[in-house]
Amino acid sequence: MSEDPRGSFEGKHEFTVIGQPLPKIDAWAKVIGETKYADDLFLPRMAYGRLLRSPHGHARVGRVDTTRARALPGVYAVITGADLPRVRFGILPVSQDEEALCTEKVRMVGDAVAAVAAVDEETAERACRLIDVEYEPLPALMSIEESLAHPEVRIHEYGDGPNVHKNVSLQFGDIEAAFARADLVREDVFFFEGNTHLPMEQHAAVAAAGPDGKLTLWSSTQTPHYVHRLLAKILETPAAHIRVVATPVGGGFGGKLDPFAHEIAACRLSQLTGRPVKIACTREEVFYIHRGRHPVLMWIKTGFTRDGDITGCHLRTWLDGGAYGSYGVASTFYTGVINPVTYKMPVYKFEGARIFTNKPPCGPKRGHGTPQPRFALECQLDKAAEQLGLDPAEMRKRILAEPFTKTANHLTVTTIGLGECIDRVVEASGWRTKWRGFRSEGASTAPSEPPPEPGRAGGARARTRRGIGIACSAYLTGAGTAVYWNNMPHSGVILRADRSGGVAVLCGATDIGQGSDSILAYLPAEILGIDPKDVHVHPADTSLTPVDLGSYSSRVTLMCGMAAIQASQRLREVIAQAVARKLEVEPGALAFRERKVGVAADWERAVPFAQAVELAETTHGVLAFAGSYAPPKRAGKYKGGGVGPSPCYSYSACVVELSVDEETGEIELHDVWIGHDLGRALNPLLAEGQIEGSVYMGIGEALMEGQIFRKGVHKNPSLLEYKSPTTLETPEIHTFLVETDDPEGPFGAKEAGQGPLLPVIPAIANAVYHAVGVRCDEVPITPEMILKGLELRRQGRPARVGPARIPVFTFKAPVVVESAFGQPADAIAVRPFQP
Amino acid sequence: MKARLSLTVNGEAHDVLVPVHKTLLEVLREDLGLTGTKHGCELGECGTCTVLVDGAPVLSCLALPVDLAGATITTVEGMAEGGRLHPLQQAFAELGAAQCGYCTPGILLTAQALLADRPSPTRQEIREALAGNLCRCTGYTKILDAVELAALRIGVPR
């Protein structure tokens, strides 16, 4: 069989399962309320746990007295950090800075210091209030500026400087020479406020320790494998005696990717009480767990030729990391390394720093570190297009990156469907008739003056002005390296065929709503010629399923998909041999379809699939086959080159049309057109759903979502105060799927679940400018910002609202590497784990 | 203080002995084992825990069973009849309107109340009816599509 997973499918455009808008395999359970999320588990004798969390943003922890809590009737156990091994942990090996229950210091409001297991939640809650904790408050540092201004108040003792978690600097080519070549050099400063995932399901975990010392944890986690590894370390219990099951996740978006205090406390409490223990977090606690979008301040300097070509780009980012490391080192790199993937950017310099503050820790939210610089770059492109007198859509089309080449920072790019994405959204939105040039900057357009067509909003209120904006982006399809370095598969699948004609798929992948369970049914069904309903998917159980690293970095469809294809091909080969013997034909002549195996020209003699399985089991024995996948090793050969490589990149283009009310500053979105190059839509319905969800989330980030802190305290830790879009704020979303059939992906597929968020935010900012001539260089864009910009315009000053200055900060001397821009892509190497 | 209550849920009468301050959400999930009703905030902010009380959408996290004697309560488990899915359930599954599925029960029931009231709602009316139900996965698009499809099918039974 060919090395190319698709090579054996000559009629690949005659798929029976791939490309069909099938319901998800778990949709039926979800619409009848049968799906069991973590908090839906009720075990006999189960105790209920609660965490006691710090009310201080920064404090030394003194004596923790649990006497009164223990004495409360109905309390089974009370634990503090002293009841856990003194082990610090963190998701990244380089940032081992967390404790489940803090022993020396708390670093944010919401850090856990003790935990209780009791007969019910109410008793556990009451017991928490009876725990006496002595705190010695320390100054809480609540912003990048404060943390840098107070090196004497150290949040952590490690890092690249006082309160500096990470300081990176990379340079590819001669950046000064690149600016010298430019006709226009722009410097702009942007700020992207932090926001949170806000999954509808609050995190919950149930732990059950047995008298044999074995432990099972059911948890709403996106990464059972990493939780499994870290639990062994944290609890000092052999990993072989721990089983982690990821229950169906009620929304993740990156917020359930770390090991958390409630999971660890549930395990320890179960070990101590001999009962199953459930800890279900409240909505407020979920805001403290966080790991969401980093607030990022950005300075970006880009050189352009008069035709709009980029000569070089220099980006500086400052990330407000919050109280712990989490994925922050990766986040820091991601604010820089994906930028050169979208457009021709021959020279690139990136400097980034992540600063600790006494706020909930930031981490990987949908788009991980890339929406912030994307906002900066795409808004700057809009400004440059205006100065150069170019149509921003045409300018972008002109400078698209070249397929199958390398970027300045040595990333291999394969297929690029961005040109088609732009064409589709430009066409569908009526861009050419609606855009018709930039509004002139400054005070030349008096607000009382009737807006030029198409600035008038349907002749309704004259104070409302309509605008249209465009932006583009690229995103990775799976991180090229694991969170811990190793040479093992990133994803594994075991496929077992049984005599009924059913096929079981075992895979560690975690369905967070994106449909990974369904993908694991569709791919084997396509290859084996059976119905997805014949496939039984058993996901995310560390004692049963081969490792899949987790649902993050848009890696699952590609990586578990490739592993599933490999396992399916191995099964198919053995079945084909057995059927070929019976039919006395060559195995290669056999087709698998309609639950039969046979020769197309002689289909009457085709063997039913169940019988084919029996023939194969008779000769081969039990039919169980493994598939493995690891991405091609393409890390750039420089320090830091491990973040950014991916098997392939998705591309998106977005046009937004909106109205701005000049009296109130309110923005109303009318339509969003989004074109997304996803390689191939394995299921267009699911792909559209991912794209629509991404657009929605981008809208929230652009217009309303933001973490607000006052006097060291989270000001809006609830679903009412933390605004997110409802059906009324979410406009019609018009999705266009662009297929490029990428050689790296399963049946050509690339990601669809994160990339489409990225262009939405700058497209909105650019549309606001088109509508009212106000440049909002900060998100979320609020009515106050619009009104401030309009006021500036009235005063004849530049109508720009956004950050005015950047921190005084010294970046490291850069790692200087030759630019690899334009070099041919690395050949698609023989993948690991192929026979 | 505990109260002995008789609740009619999904057409079945249940006798429960529960603390008077226990919410309908908690009684449904913990005492009756009806975990199809989910919670997103337990403060009445997200619509996730919506059930129907005498046909009207009610946030079960704010409702007290002691107030509901004699009322007819419907949860997502009661939407299908005799193993046949409600057209809304069918449409939500077919069109991908449930991604993670966590907000789905509350949205299904809110939509059921809407269709009982207005069998052929406009898209804007659907938006308004569902404005109190947060969904973080779908961008609402497929949800609106599914309610429209269900309305169509109810109007013209297949």
Side-chain angles (χ1 to χ4, degrees):
Chain A
M1 218 165 262
S2 161
E3 288 288 301
D4 183 341
R6 300 159 305 154
S8 55
F9 300 96
E10 284 163 20
K12 66 182 180 183
H13 294 296
E14 292 160 32
F15 296 129
T16 55
V17 179
I18 301 306
Q20 300 300 311
L22 301 173
K24 292 203 299 177
I25 62 166
D26 53 357
W28 308 103
K30 284 178 173 171
V31 298
I32 62 169
E34 195 186 81
T35 303
K36 296 282 178 244
Y37 302 85
D39 193 28
D40 297 333
L41 302 179
F42 290 88
L43 302 180
R45 300 178 64 251
M46 189 168 82
Y48 295 80
R50 292 282 297 154
L51 298 176
L52 176 67
R53 293 182 182 270
S54 163
H56 298 283
H58 198 189
R60 263 181 236 296
V61 178
R63 213 166 72 94
V64 184
D65 186 347
T66 61
T67 319
R68 293 195 301 144
R70 283 175 207 275
L72 187 72
V75 170
Y76 300 130
V78 184
I79 58 169
T80 67
D83 298 295
L84 285 163
R86 285 293 174 102
V87 179
R88 283 175 193 271
F89 64 90
I91 188 71
L92 296 188
V94 293
S95 307
Q96 301 289 297
D97 60 3
E98 297 186 52
E99 291 179 293
L101 302 174
C102 299
T103 54
E104 290 159 20
K105 263 201 351 179
V106 288
R107 295 178 174 84
M108 58 178 229
V109 172
D111 255 343
V113 290
V116 175
V119 63
D120 54 29
E121 261 188 320
E122 224 180 306
T123 308
E125 173 77 48
R126 210 168 330 130
C128 279
R129 288 200 291 268
L130 295 174
I131 299 170
D132 301 300
V133 185
E134 286 174 6
Y135 292 104
E136 182 196 322
L138 298 165
L141 306 175
M142 298 304 287
S143 68
I144 290 173
E145 293 72 24
E146 274 182 29
S147 289
L148 293 177
H150 294 282
E152 77 287 358
V153 182
R154 291 204 58 163
I155 297 171
H156 286 283
E157 295 303 318
Y158 80 106
D160 286 346
N163 299 325
V164 178
H165 178 207
K166 190 69 189 170
N167 182 343
V168 300
S169 184
L170 300 168
Q171 184 177 327
F172 307 92
D174 186 342
I175 191 71
E176 294 313 322
F179 291 142
R181 271 199 305 279
D183 298 310
L184 167 69
V185 178
R186 277 201 68 95
E187 284 180 54
D188 290 287
V189 180
F190 296 90
F191 179 66
F192 198 112
E193 182 56 278
N195 54 57
T196 200
H197 318 84
L198 209 75
M200 292 319 297
E201 178 204 28
Q202 303 99 315
H203 304 51
V206 178
D212 55 0
K214 287 188 171 180
L215 177 70
T216 302
L217 177 73
W218 293 268
S219 184
S220 43
T221 178
Q222 297 176 240
T223 176
H225 172 62
Y226 292 150
V227 170
H228 182 210
R229 276 174 59 84
L230 284 160
L231 276 184
K233 173 185 169 173
I234 296 161
L235 298 169
E236 292 182 344
T237 299
H241 299 166
I242 298 176
R243 174 186 181 199
V244 178
V245 181
T247 45
V249 177
F253 317 112
K256 295 168 179 169
L257 273 171
D258 291 58
F260 294 116
H262 68 280
E263 296 171 316
I264 298 157
C267 288
R268 190 73 192 117
L269 287 166
S270 180
Q271 287 175 329
L272 291 173
T273 60
R275 290 171 180 270
V277 175
K278 177 195 282 186
I279 300 185
C281 296
T282 64
R283 177 54 64 184
E284 185 180 351
E285 287 180 288
V286 175
F287 279 90
Y288 302 140
I289 290 171
H290 191 45
R291 322 279 160 160
R293 185 83 71 225
H294 285 76
V296 183
L297 185 61
M298 295 161 281
W299 170 89
I300 182 168
K301 180 177 178 183
T302 307
F304 299 91
T305 67
R306 59 176 52 84
D307 297 324
D309 294 340
I310 295 172
T311 62
C313 177
H314 183 182
L315 172 71
R316 289 180 176 142
T317 64
W318 292 267
L319 294 81
D320 180 343
Y324 294 99
S326 183
Y327 285 82
V329 170
S331 316
T332 309
F333 278 102
Y334 276 130
T335 62
V337 297
I338 303 300
N339 281 321
V341 172
T342 316
Y343 305 114
K344 290 190 189 78
M345 194 179 272
V347 178
Y348 186 53
K349 183 173 181 181
F350 163 60
E351 294 165 298
R354 185 175 190 264
I355 313 299
F356 286 123
T357 55
N358 291 113
K359 298 194 280 196
C362 298
K365 185 187 172 193
R366 199 174 206 166
H368 196 185
T370 71
Q372 300 98 325
R374 179 54 51 183
F375 168 64
L377 177 63
E378 296 291 323
C379 291
Q380 188 178 55
L381 282 182
D382 208 58
K383 297 179 189 191
E386 179 172 29
Q387 274 179 286
L388 296 168
L390 300 172
D391 176 322
E394 281 168 19
M395 175 182 168
R396 283 173 170 82
K397 262 202 84 173
R398 176 189 164 86
I399 61 174
L400 299 179
E402 201 64 44
F404 296 97
T405 62
K406 284 190 185 180
T407 64
N409 59 335
H410 300 230
L411 302 179
T412 279
V413 173
T414 55
T415 55
I416 301 179
L418 183 54
E420 191 182 341
C421 292
I422 294 174
D423 289 343
R424 300 285 291 273
V425 295
V426 160
E427 188 65 33
S429 65
W431 171 269
R432 287 187 192 88
T433 52
K434 289 175 182 168
W435 182 70
R436 286 211 227 147
F438 283 100
R439 287 174 60 89
S440 51
E441 219 167 10
S444 59
T445 311
S448 53
E449 181 182 310
E453 288 299 329
R456 182 174 286 281
R461 293 168 301 172
R463 68 182 196 186
T464 300
R465 292 178 189 238
R466 214 169 248 258
I468 192 163
I470 189 168
C472 301
S473 64
Y475 196 68
L476 57 159
T477 308
T481 48
V483 157
Y484 64 100
W485 284 86
N486 68 77
N487 287 317
M488 293 178 282
H490 287 217
S491 195
V493 162
I494 292 172
L495 208 65
R496 184 189 61 87
D498 73 46
R499 298 169 196 179
S500 69
V503 170
V505 177
L506 282 66
C507 177
T510 308
D511 202 315
I512 60 173
Q514 87 280 44
S516 61
D517 285 3
S518 300
I519 296 297
L520 283 167
Y522 300 152
L523 298 179
E526 180 67 49
I527 293 166
L528 299 170
I530 58 178
D531 192 283
K533 206 186 244 184
D534 306 335
V535 182
H536 307 275
V537 178
H538 302 274
D541 179 336
T542 60
S543 67
L544 190 67
T545 56
V547 165
D548 175 86
L549 294 177
S551 287
Y552 65 91
S553 82
S554 276
R555 53 175 296 291
V556 181
T557 292
L558 187 139
M559 297 198 194
C560 79
M562 294 298 278
I565 287 172
Q566 187 180 64
S568 304
Q569 285 182 314
R570 287 172 175 169
L571 172 61
R572 181 180 152 121
E573 207 166 336
V574 170
I575 292 174
Q577 280 165 8
V579 174
R581 240 188 319 273
K582 179 181 161 69
L583 298 180
E584 298 178 321
V585 296
E586 285 301 311
L590 292 170
F592 285 59
R593 57 183 163 87
E594 299 156 18
R595 294 193 176 110
K596 286 181 187 158
V597 183
V599 179
D602 189 14
W603 198 243
E604 295 79 53
R605 289 179 65 219
V607 178
F609 185 75
Q611 197 188 326
V613 167
E614 289 187 346
L615 289 172
E617 194 173 334
T618 306
T619 54
H620 183 274
V622 170
L623 299 179
F625 296 89
S628 304
Y629 176 81
K633 289 197 178 299
R634 288 176 180 158
K637 290 177 180 48
Y638 57 88
K639 195 170 180 329
V643 186
S646 174
C648 49
Y649 300 85
S650 74
Y651 288 84
S652 319
C654 179
V655 169
V656 169
E657 188 174 6
L658 49 73
S659 296
V660 182
D661 185 321
E662 290 200 316
E663 202 162 297
T664 65
E666 279 175 301
I667 296 168
E668 186 191 347
L669 297 187
H670 299 301
D671 288 275
V672 176
W673 295 268
I674 180 110
H676 184 68
D677 161 22
L678 77 177
R680 180 184 301 283
L682 298 181
N683 178 333
L685 203 61
L686 271 58
E688 284 168 13
Q690 288 302 299
I691 295 165
E692 289 157 1
S694 298
V695 169
Y696 150 87
M697 202 164 269
I699 290 168
E701 299 194 19
L703 296 179
M704 60 190 89
E705 295 188 37
Q707 306 256 95
I708 306 165
F709 295 86
R710 292 279 156 79
K711 295 180 182 169
V713 179
H714 199 306
K715 189 171 172 281
N716 54 347
S718 76
L719 289 175
L720 188 65
E721 295 155 298
Y722 181 94
K723 302 295 180 205
S724 63
T726 71
T727 49
L728 298 177
E729 289 82 31
T730 309
E732 291 297 328
I733 300 163
H734 311 279
T735 300
F736 303 92
L737 304 178
V738 171
E739 297 192 321
T740 43
D741 195 11
D742 196 279
E744 290 286 348
F747 293 99
K750 306 196 272 191
E751 77 91 37
Q754 303 194 65
L757 179 147
L758 305 176
V760 177
I761 300 155
I764 289 175
N766 292 340
V768 165
Y769 178 72
H770 187 243
V772 290
V774 174
R775 284 287 180 195
C776 294
D777 290 348
E778 179 175 335
V779 287
I781 300 170
T782 61
E784 291 82 355
M785 285 163 64
I786 302 277
L787 294 179
K788 189 176 160 195
L790 289 170
E791 178 57 30
L792 288 169
R793 205 180 67 183
R794 268 191 285 276
Q795 295 169 6
R797 294 159 67 190
R800 173 193 176 267
V801 188
R805 57 200 165 85
I806 54 174
V808 179
F809 185 83
T810 308
F811 287 99
K812 271 186 181 167
V815 173
V816 181
V817 189
E818 285 293 301
S819 168
F821 174 73
Q823 292 177 14
D826 283 337
I828 294 172
V830 174
R831 292 195 182 86
F833 315 114
Q834 297 285 340
Chain B
M1 194 179 75
K2 288 191 175 180
R4 195 193 152 129
L5 304 170
S6 189
L7 292 176
T8 306
V9 182
N10 303 330
E12 292 173 19
H14 298 271
D15 288 327
V16 290
L17 185 66
V18 294
V20 288
H21 61 274
K22 206 165 176 178
T23 64
L24 178 59
L25 169 71
E26 292 165 327
V27 171
L28 289 172
R29 290 176 52 82
E30 295 164 17
D31 297 272
L32 302 183
L34 295 170
T35 54
T37 304
K38 309 299 179 198
H39 52 80
C41 64
E42 303 191 50
L43 294 167
E45 298 170 351
C46 67
T48 303
C49 68
T50 304
V51 299
L52 300 184
V53 175
D54 295 330
V58 162
L59 299 172
S60 65
C61 72
L62 299 183
L64 294 177
V66 284
D67 292 336
L68 298 174
T72 299
I73 297 160
T74 308
T75 70
V76 69
E77 289 93 342
M79 282 184 76
E81 277 177 35
R84 234 190 54 207
L85 294 182
H86 188 282
L88 279 163
Q89 293 173 308
Q90 185 74 27
F92 269 58
E94 285 179 16
L95 296 192
Q99 282 191 26
C100 84
Y102 197 81
C103 72
T104 305
I107 290 184
L108 283 170
L109 290 160
T110 309
Q112 185 180 338
L114 168 72
L115 296 187
D117 224 32
R118 298 190 71 82
S120 307
T122 64
R123 205 163 166 93
Q124 183 59 21
E125 285 170 337
I126 301 169
R127 283 184 189 278
E128 282 164 18
L130 296 179
N133 293 77
L134 294 180
C135 166
R136 290 291 279 174
C137 291
T138 62
Y140 304 108
T141 310
K142 299 266 183 275
I143 291 175
L144 300 177
D145 293 349
V147 176
E148 285 179 339
L149 177 62
L152 212 67
R153 285 178 177 170
I154 293 169
V156 188
R158 289 189 299 176

